[in-house]
Amino acid sequence: MKKLRPIYKLACTELQTLFFSPIAWLILIVFTIQVAVAFTDVFGERVRTQSLGYGLSNVTLNVYAGWKGLFLQVQNYLYLYIPLLTMGLISREYNSGSIKLLYSSPLTNSQIVLGKYLSMIIYALVMIGILALFAIFSICTIQHADIPAILSGLLGLYLLICAYAAIGLFMSSITSYQVVAAIGTFAMLYILNAVSTLWQDIAFVRDLTYWLSISGRADEFIRGLICSEDVLYFIIVMALFLALSIIRLKAARQKARFSVTFGKYAAVVAGALLLGYLSSRPQLMSYYDATRTKANTLTPNSQDIVARMDGGLTITTYVNILDEQNNYWYGLPRNVNQDLDRFKQYTRFKPEIKMKYYYYYHPAPGNAEALEKQFPGMTDRERMVKTTTIFRLDSTLFHRPEELKAIIDLEPEGYRFVRLLERENGQKTFLRVFDDIYHHPFESEISAAFKRLVMELPKVGFLKGHGERDCIREGDRDYNRFAQDKPFRYSLINNGFDFEEVSLDQDIPEKIKIMVIADMRNPLTPEENERLNRYIERGGNLLIAGEPRRQEVMNPLVEQFGVQFLPGRLVKLSENFQPDFIINRPTNQAGDFSYILKQMIDYEQVATMPSATGLSYTNAAERGFTVTPLFTCDSTGTWNEMETTDFVDDTVRYNPAAGEVEQPYVTMLAMSRPINGKEQKIIILGDADCLSNGEISISRKNVRASNYSLIQSSFYWLSDEEVPINVTRPKTTDRKVFVSMDAMYWWKIFWIGFVPAVMLFFSLFIWIRRRGK
C-alpha cells in the first residue's frame, strides 16, 4: 500500500491540474454535445418510427450498436479527444523543468508513469459516466432494455479510451513539445488502425499485424460479445505502452546508451506480440455473450451439431483467380483473416478446425467469352499472371489446372469459389457461396453442411417418366433451381439434402425418404402404381404438386388420401395480372405449423401461383389423416373457372351455372397419419409452377412473394425437422419506447442544451473560484 500511495497522490495532483485548466472541461462539454446529438438522432428515429405506427424490434442494440448506433459513433471519434488530454502529461514536465523535481523525489519511474496514467483512467471514467447517463435514460424509456448488452458496450469503450491514453502517455514521454506529442499520438493511432492491411500476404506476419490493429477493437463489445482476445488485447496494449514509457523515463534519467534502450524496447514489443499471438489462438479464447437472445452465439441446434462432430475438421477453400464472379477476392491472402472471421462462431465451439487455402486458375464454364474480352489473345496462364500482377500477388501460388485435377474434380462446382469440409474419418461435403446480395453462407447453410458430416440426412427422390417437372433441366417450368442449383441459397443441396431421379420401373429405394411428384402428364401403369403404393404403405413422405387440366391424371394418386384436385382453374380478376395468376396467403394454422411460414405472416409475404386448382380434403379424416390447410387464395372474387381456356385474349366471367363457385380455396395443405410405427407426412399443392425455376426467380412490382419459403417449410417438415437447420432465436422483448414525439423534442433540448450548459457553468465556477484564490 505504501508504494501505491504516491501513485494515488500524483494522480490527484494531475487531475487537479487537468480540471483547473479549460481543456479538460472543454473536451467534456464538446464530448457531451456530440454524444447528445448522436443519441437524440438515433433514439428520435425510433420514436418517430413508432409514432408513424410501425413496429420496433431489438431497440437496445439498434440504438447503441446498429447503423448510426451511439456506441459505434462514439468509437469513431474518441481518437480526437485523447491526444489533447495526454499531450502534456509528461512533455509539460520536460518543458517546464519540473521533471527534475520528479527525478529528485522518492518516486520511481514506474510510479511516475502509473500516477500519470491513473489520472487518465479516472478521467476516462468521467467520460464513460456521461455515456452512462444516456444508458440510464434508455433503460428507463425502452421496454425491457437489454442492460447487459449496454454494459458490454460501455466496457469496450472504456478499455478503448484507456488504450488510447496509454499510447498518448508514451508519446508525451518522448518529447518536450505538447503539440508534437499530440501529433505523434494521432500518428500512432493511425498506424495502429492501418497496420491490419500491412504484410497480409505473409502468413505468420499476417496474424501479428491483424492482431495488433486497434481498428474496430470495441466492435464486439458494442454488439454485446465479450471475448478474451479483445480484453487481453487492450490489457497488453496498455501494458506495452506503459512499459515503453517507463523505459523512456529510465533512459532519460540515467542517460542510458541508445542500443541498450532500443534492446529493451524491442524485447517489450516482442513480448507483447507473442502474448497477443497466443491470446488470438482459438483454443485459448473464451467468450461471454451479454445479449438477451445470445445474438452473437450459435443457436442451440448448431451447437448440438458441432458437439456431435468428434475428431478434427479441415476446411479447404479453393480459390480460382479466373472465377467468373470474381469470388476469388474473398480468399486472397490479404483477406484471409476476414475470411476466418466468418467461421469464428464455429471455432468458438470447435477450436481444432483447420482452415486451408488452395489457389489455382481454370476458366469457368460460360466465362470464356468474358475472359477473351478482358484478356484478348492470351492463354489461361497469361491471364492468371496478368491478374496477379494487377493485384500484386505471387503468381507461383496459383496451381495449374492439371495439378488441381490430380487432387479434386471441381468441374461439377463450375470452378467457382467453394470450400471442402473434410473430417478425419474421410467424410466430405461442399460449402458454397451464392449469387445473392449476401453472397456468403449463413449459419443455416454452414450448419447444414456440418450436419451432413455427422449423420445421414433424408434423401429426396424426383419421380420421372410421366412428363413430370424435371429436377435437372433449367427451363422455366422445371425444378433445377430448387433441387440442385448450386449458387441458389435455398436449393435442397445447399440445405443438407441429397436427391436423385426415381423411375417406377423398380421399387423405390429404401434410402429415399421424400418423394416429389410434380405435374404428371401421363397416368401410372398398374405395375408402377403398385410400386408407389408399396412406398406409401411403408410410410414414405410425399410432396405432390398438381396443375389445372391434370386432374384426371393426378386425382387417382391423391384420392387414396381423401384429397381431390377440384375441377377448373382458379381465377381472380386483376388490373395488372392475368386472371389465373393467384396470390395466396398463409393461414393462421400455417403459422403454428412452421416457423418459416410464421415469418411469412409476420412480414406479410405471399406465395404466387401462375395457374392453380383448388384442393378438397373432406374425406381425409376418414383415411386417418390430420390435415392442416397452409395457403388459401382471396376469400372474395376468386372462383374455379370452368369455361375459359385462353386467359390472354378472352375475358373470364363468373358463371355459377357452369359449376363455378366463388369461395376461398385451399391451394396447399399438409397431412399426416401414423403408419407402421411412424408418422407419414404429405404436402399437396394445387400448382406445380409455384416451385419452378421461373416462378422462384421472378419478382413482380408490389407482390411480396416468398415462394422459396414453401420449399423450406415443406422439406423441413417432411424431413422430421432435420434440415434446413432451424436457426431462429427468441424474439427480442425490447420492442417499444415510452417517449412521444412531443416529449422527444424537450428531451433533445435537455441533452443538447441543458446538460452541456450545466457543465459549462460548473467549469466556470471552479475556474473563477480558483482565480479568486
Side-chain angles (χ1 to χ4, degrees):
M1 291 299 295
K2 290 183 179 180
K3 292 183 178 181
L4 295 178
R5 191 174 292 115
I7 296 174
Y8 174 73
K9 288 183 177 180
L10 182 58
C12 291
T13 302
E14 190 66 35
L15 285 171
Q16 285 180 342
T17 303
L18 198 61
F19 280 102
F20 284 152
S21 68
I23 186 67
W25 288 103
L26 180 61
I27 287 175
L28 286 178
I29 292 170
V30 173
F31 177 73
T32 303
I33 293 174
Q34 275 196 302
V35 171
V37 170
F39 177 79
T40 54
D41 180 39
V42 69
F43 192 89
E45 184 63 33
R46 270 67 198 171
V47 174
R48 187 179 301 108
T49 300
Q50 181 174 275
S51 299
L52 289 171
Y54 298 108
L56 299 178
S57 65
N58 206 14
V59 176
T60 307
L61 285 180
N62 282 330
V63 168
Y64 287 95
W67 184 69
K68 293 175 62 177
L70 175 63
F71 287 166
L72 288 176
Q73 291 193 60
V74 170
Q75 178 186 215
N76 290 336
Y77 56 67
L78 268 179
Y79 75 95
L80 295 172
Y81 301 108
I82 306 306
L84 301 178
L85 286 168
T86 60
M87 64 182 183
L89 284 176
I90 297 178
S91 60
R92 182 178 60 247
E93 310 287 356
Y94 287 145
N95 192 46
S96 65
S98 57
I99 189 68
K100 295 179 181 179
L101 295 176
L102 289 175
Y103 285 162
S104 61
S105 69
L107 294 174
T108 64
N109 297 319
S110 299
Q111 289 173 328
I112 294 173
V113 170
L114 293 177
K116 298 280 188 179
Y117 186 61
L118 179 59
S119 67
M120 288 296 98
I121 289 178
I122 296 172
Y123 190 89
L125 282 174
V126 176
M127 297 181 74
I128 294 300
I130 293 172
L131 287 172
L133 293 176
F134 294 91
I136 293 170
F137 175 81
S138 299
I139 292 169
C140 295
T141 56
I142 296 176
Q143 179 188 44
H144 306 303
D146 198 345
I147 299 175
I150 297 176
L151 296 177
S152 172
L154 289 173
L155 174 62
L157 292 176
Y158 179 67
L159 292 174
L160 183 63
I161 296 173
C162 292
Y164 284 172
I167 296 168
L169 175 61
F170 170 66
M171 299 309 296
S172 180
S173 71
I174 62 177
T175 179
S176 60
Y177 299 99
Q178 295 187 34
V179 174
V180 175
I183 295 174
T185 304
F186 281 120
M188 181 59 71
L189 293 179
Y190 172 79
I191 292 171
L192 288 177
N193 272 278
V195 71
S196 63
T197 63
L198 301 178
W199 305 300
Q200 291 299 291
D201 295 335
I202 308 171
F204 180 73
V205 178
R206 174 172 63 223
D207 291 338
L208 293 179
T209 56
Y210 192 76
W211 173 86
L212 190 58
S213 174
I214 204 170
S215 176
R217 269 295 173 176
D219 283 354
E220 288 194 339
F221 287 95
I222 292 171
R223 291 196 299 266
L225 180 66
I226 301 175
C227 176
S228 62
E229 179 190 13
D230 295 320
V231 174
L232 289 173
Y233 172 84
F234 287 118
I235 293 174
I236 292 170
V237 167
M238 286 184 269
L240 168 64
F241 284 95
L242 291 178
L244 294 177
S245 301
I246 293 170
I247 294 171
R248 165 60 185 162
L249 285 186
K250 186 175 181 180
R253 195 171 191 174
Q254 298 177 353
K255 306 298 182 183
R257 287 184 301 173
F258 174 77
S259 59
V260 175
T261 303
F262 180 81
K264 291 179 179 179
Y265 284 153
V268 170
V269 172
L273 290 176
L274 176 61
L275 291 175
Y277 178 80
L278 294 175
S279 69
S280 65
R281 299 305 90 193
Q283 295 85 346
L284 302 177
M285 293 166 62
S286 58
Y287 301 82
Y288 172 69
D289 192 343
T291 59
R292 180 180 289 121
T293 61
K294 305 303 176 187
N296 303 295
T297 305
L298 290 178
T299 56
N301 285 338
S302 294
Q303 291 183 43
D304 178 65
I305 293 169
V306 175
R308 284 194 274 171
M309 187 179 295
D310 55 349
L313 174 68
T314 301
I315 301 178
T316 304
T317 302
Y318 290 91
V319 183
N320 181 9
I321 196 67
L322 300 181
D323 191 334
E324 61 180 323
Q325 297 293 330
N326 293 336
N327 294 321
Y328 57 80
W329 176 259
Y330 302 105
L332 294 182
R334 68 190 61 168
N335 298 321
V336 162
N337 279 312
Q338 293 94 321
D339 192 55
L340 295 177
D341 286 343
R342 297 187 177 98
F343 293 88
K344 198 168 185 178
Q345 288 191 350
Y346 289 86
T347 55
R348 171 180 172 182
F349 293 97
K350 192 173 180 61
E352 61 269 25
I353 292 177
K354 296 179 181 179
M355 300 288 292
K356 295 181 179 179
Y357 293 83
Y358 187 92
Y359 300 96
Y360 70 98
Y361 65 94
H362 195 294
N367 198 33
E369 185 176 346
L371 286 174
E372 184 60 31
K373 287 182 179 179
Q374 187 177 7
F375 305 107
M378 291 187 180
T379 65
D380 291 333
R381 176 166 180 79
E382 289 171 339
R383 291 164 179 163
M384 178 273 291
V385 173
K386 180 70 173 178
T387 305
T388 56
T389 302
I390 293 172
F391 286 104
R392 296 184 178 180
L393 298 170
D394 182 2
S395 63
T396 61
L397 282 175
F398 294 86
H399 297 270
R400 300 191 310 274
E402 312 86 71
E403 296 174 315
L404 172 72
K405 190 73 173 179
I407 61 172
I408 189 172
D409 181 14
L410 292 182
E411 184 176 1
E413 297 296 321
Y415 298 103
R416 290 167 55 94
F417 183 100
V418 69
R419 306 183 200 270
L420 179 68
L421 281 58
E422 185 173 8
R423 295 181 66 185
E424 286 182 345
N425 61 12
Q427 290 178 303
K428 301 177 183 179
T429 191
F430 285 110
L431 179 64
R432 304 171 180 90
V433 293
F434 308 111
D435 291 346
D436 55 29
I437 60 174
Y438 302 106
H439 203 67
H440 294 284
F442 297 146
E443 179 185 337
S444 54
E445 290 86 43
I446 298 175
S447 294
F450 276 46
K451 197 165 188 175
R452 279 178 175 270
L453 301 177
V454 299
M455 66 176 292
E456 183 179 355
L457 294 174
K459 193 165 191 176
V460 180
F462 285 81
L463 186 63
K464 68 174 184 177
H466 313 85
E468 297 90 348
R469 302 298 173 96
D470 196 296
C471 63
I472 305 299
R473 291 200 305 260
E474 299 179 359
D476 281 353
R477 291 171 52 82
D478 294 309
Y479 281 7
N480 168 279
R481 189 157 176 78
F482 104 69
Q484 64 157 352
D485 188 16
K486 294 179 173 67
F488 182 51
R489 183 181 300 276
Y490 303 104
S491 67
L492 294 182
I493 61 170
N494 288 324
N495 284 275
F497 293 96
D498 287 320
F499 76 96
E500 67 177 59
E501 292 184 294
V502 174
S503 172
L504 289 178
D505 54 4
Q506 58 184 358
D507 284 343
I508 297 174
E510 288 288 336
K511 61 184 178 182
I512 300 296
K513 304 300 181 184
I514 304 169
M515 277 293 298
V516 176
I517 305 175
D519 189 18
M520 285 198 313
R521 299 187 179 193
N522 303 311
L524 302 176
T525 66
E527 294 79 9
E528 291 175 329
N529 195 60
E530 184 178 346
R531 294 187 183 103
L532 180 60
N533 285 336
R534 281 200 289 269
Y535 171 82
I536 295 172
E537 289 168 2
R538 78 184 192 215
N541 295 338
L542 291 158
L543 185 147
I544 301 172
E547 273 286 311
R549 299 185 300 169
R550 303 279 190 267
Q551 287 93 333
E552 290 186 7
V553 176
M554 298 295 292
N555 272 334
L557 174 63
V558 298
E559 284 173 349
Q560 61 182 308
F561 310 129
V563 179
Q564 183 182 18
F565 292 104
L566 295 174
R569 179 190 300 247
L570 298 183
V571 296
K572 179 180 173 64
L573 294 177
S574 168
E575 181 180 349
N576 298 314
F577 305 110
Q578 285 187 186
D580 63 341
F581 178 74
I582 303 299
I583 296 176
N584 305 272
R585 290 174 173 80
T587 63
N588 292 330
Q589 299 99 308
D592 299 327
F593 172 82
S594 168
Y595 74 93
I596 300 171
L597 299 183
K598 180 64 168 62
Q599 291 173 348
M600 287 188 68
I601 296 173
D602 292 342
Y603 298 141
E604 299 182 350
Q605 294 173 329
V606 299
T608 55
M609 296 184 178
S611 61
T613 179
L615 300 174
S616 170
Y617 55 93
T618 54
N619 298 323
E622 298 176 4
R623 312 294 172 89
F625 284 100
T626 300
V627 179
T628 304
L630 300 180
F631 282 84
T632 61
C633 55
D634 286 344
S635 58
T636 57
T638 303
W639 70 88
N640 61 323
E641 177 62 37
M642 301 291 292
E643 298 176 311
T644 305
T645 58
D646 184 351
F647 295 96
V648 176
D649 297 323
D650 288 354
T651 302
V652 296
R653 294 180 177 86
Y654 177 53
N655 182 10
E660 298 173 357
V661 180
E662 181 180 354
Q663 66 179 33
Y665 286 89
V666 174
T667 53
M668 179 177 177
L669 58 82
M671 52 200 313
S672 63
R673 66 176 175 182
I675 184 171
N676 292 331
K678 66 176 184 177
E679 183 182 21
Q680 184 177 48
K681 300 177 178 180
I682 302 172
I683 295 282
I684 300 179
L685 299 99
D687 177 46
D689 288 327
C690 64
L691 305 181
S692 67
N693 300 335
E695 195 60 28
I696 290 176
S697 305
I698 198 172
S699 63
R700 299 177 177 89
K701 187 176 181 180
N702 297 326
V703 178
R704 302 187 64 186
S706 182
N707 283 27
Y708 60 81
S709 295
L710 307 187
I711 302 168
Q712 290 202 302
S713 59
S714 297
F715 284 90
Y716 179 70
W717 184 65
L718 293 171
S719 68
D720 298 326
E721 301 184 352
E722 291 289 352
V723 280
I725 308 299
N726 183 355
V727 295
T728 56
R729 302 177 188 275
K731 282 190 174 182
T732 57
T733 55
D734 49 342
R735 306 172 63 86
K736 184 179 180 181
V737 292
F738 303 118
V739 179
S740 66
M741 282 297 296
D742 291 337
M744 191 63 214
Y745 172 79
W746 294 107
W747 277 115
K748 191 169 186 177
I749 293 175
F750 173 80
W751 288 117
I752 299 177
F754 180 75
V755 173
V758 170
M759 296 175 66
L760 178 61
F761 173 80
F762 193 63
S763 65
L764 289 174
F765 174 77
I766 293 177
W767 181 73
I768 293 172
R769 185 178 178 185
R770 183 169 184 261
R771 287 289 297 266
K773 290 184 178 181

